[in-house]
C-alpha cells in the first residue's frame, strides 16, 4: 500500500472511531460484520456480557416490527429513514428493575441480497429537550 493510501486509511479509521453516530454493517441474520465503537456504546445496556454481535438479537425484544421490516425487505435501497424508536434501557443494579428511555434515530439500507447498512443515533437528549419545550409552551398558553 502506498504512503498516501495508508494515510487515507488512517484518517478514515480515525473518523469512524470518533464519529458520534453508530455505523453498522450486518447480514440477513443480523450478524454484525462491521461496526464503529459508538454501536457498542449505544447497545451496551442491552448486551448480555457485552455481546454486541447480532443487531436483531439486540433490537427484536424491544422493536419486533422494525426487525420484521428489515427481514422482509425485498428491494435494495432504503428500508427505514430517520425512524425514531424508543427502548427501555436497564439502569443501575441488575437486580433492580429500573429503566430509562433511550430514543434512537435509525436509518437502514439494504445493499444486496444479504447485506445491510445502518446508522443509529442516540437522540434521547434532543427528545427530552423537545418535551421540556412543549411543556413550557403549554404552560404559557394556559
Amino acid at each position: 500500500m502506498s504512503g498516501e493510501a495508508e494515510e487515507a486509511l488512517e484518517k478514515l479509521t480515525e473518523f469512524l472511531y470518533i464519529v458520534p453516530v453508530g455505523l453498522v454493517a450486518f447480514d440477513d441474520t443480523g450478524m454484525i460484520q462491521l461496526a464503529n465503537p459508538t454501536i457498542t456504546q449505544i447497545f451496551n445496556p442491552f448486551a448480555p456480557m457485552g455481546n454486541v454481535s447480532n443487531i436483531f438479537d439486540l433490537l427484536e425484544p424491544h422493536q419486533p416490527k422494525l426487525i420484521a421490516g428489515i427481514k422482509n425487505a425485498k428491494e435494495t435501497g432504503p428500508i427505514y429513514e430517520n425512524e425514531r424508536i424508543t427502548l427501555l434501557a436497564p439502569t443501575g443494579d441488575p437486580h433492580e428493575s429500573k429503566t430509562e428511555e433511550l430514543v434512537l434515530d435509525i436509518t437502514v439500507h439494504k445493499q444486496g441480497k444479504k447485506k445491510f447498512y445502518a446508522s443509529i443515533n442516540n437522540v434521547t437528549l434532543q427528545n427530552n429537550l423537545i418535551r421540556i419545550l412543549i411543556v413550557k409552551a403549554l404552560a404559557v398558553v394556559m
Side-chain angles (χ1 to χ4, degrees):
M1 190 180 297
S2 74
E4 281 184 22
E6 284 182 26
E7 186 177 330
L9 180 59
E10 187 176 315
K11 286 180 180 180
L12 177 60
T13 302
E14 182 181 319
F15 169 75
L16 291 173
Y17 268 85
I18 63 171
V19 68
V21 174
L23 302 171
V24 61
F26 57 96
D27 68 16
D28 62 332
T29 67
M31 289 302 296
I32 294 174
Q33 310 297 315
L34 293 169
N36 69 344
T38 305
I39 288 294
T40 303
Q41 293 169 356
I42 290 170
F43 289 113
N44 196 43
F46 306 98
M49 306 297 287
N51 183 8
V52 182
S53 61
N54 188 300
I55 197 147
F56 293 170
D57 291 346
L58 294 166
L59 287 173
E60 197 158 29
H62 312 280
Q63 293 288 327
K65 289 181 182 177
L66 178 89
I67 299 305
I70 295 169
K71 288 180 178 179
N72 295 325
K74 304 290 185 221
E75 303 288 323
T76 58
I79 301 170
Y80 293 106
E81 297 248 8
N82 298 83
E83 184 79 18
R84 289 273 170 115
I85 62 171
T86 301
L87 309 175
L88 292 178
T91 61
D93 188 341
H95 302 297
E96 295 180 16
S97 59
K98 290 183 180 179
T99 59
E100 68 181 6
E101 225 177 47
L102 179 66
V103 182
L104 303 176
D105 179 277
I106 184 168
T107 296
V108 181
H109 287 261
K110 185 173 184 179
Q111 289 300 117
K113 262 186 159 175
K114 298 182 177 193
K115 187 183 254 185
F116 298 84
Y117 294 108
S119 64
I120 303 171
N121 193 12
N122 184 345
V123 293
T124 305
L125 180 60
Q126 293 93 326
N127 197 64
N128 291 343
L129 289 173
I130 289 169
R131 285 181 181 174
I132 290 169
L133 290 173
I134 289 170
V135 168
K136 286 184 176 185
L138 288 173
V140 169
V141 172
M142 302 209 143

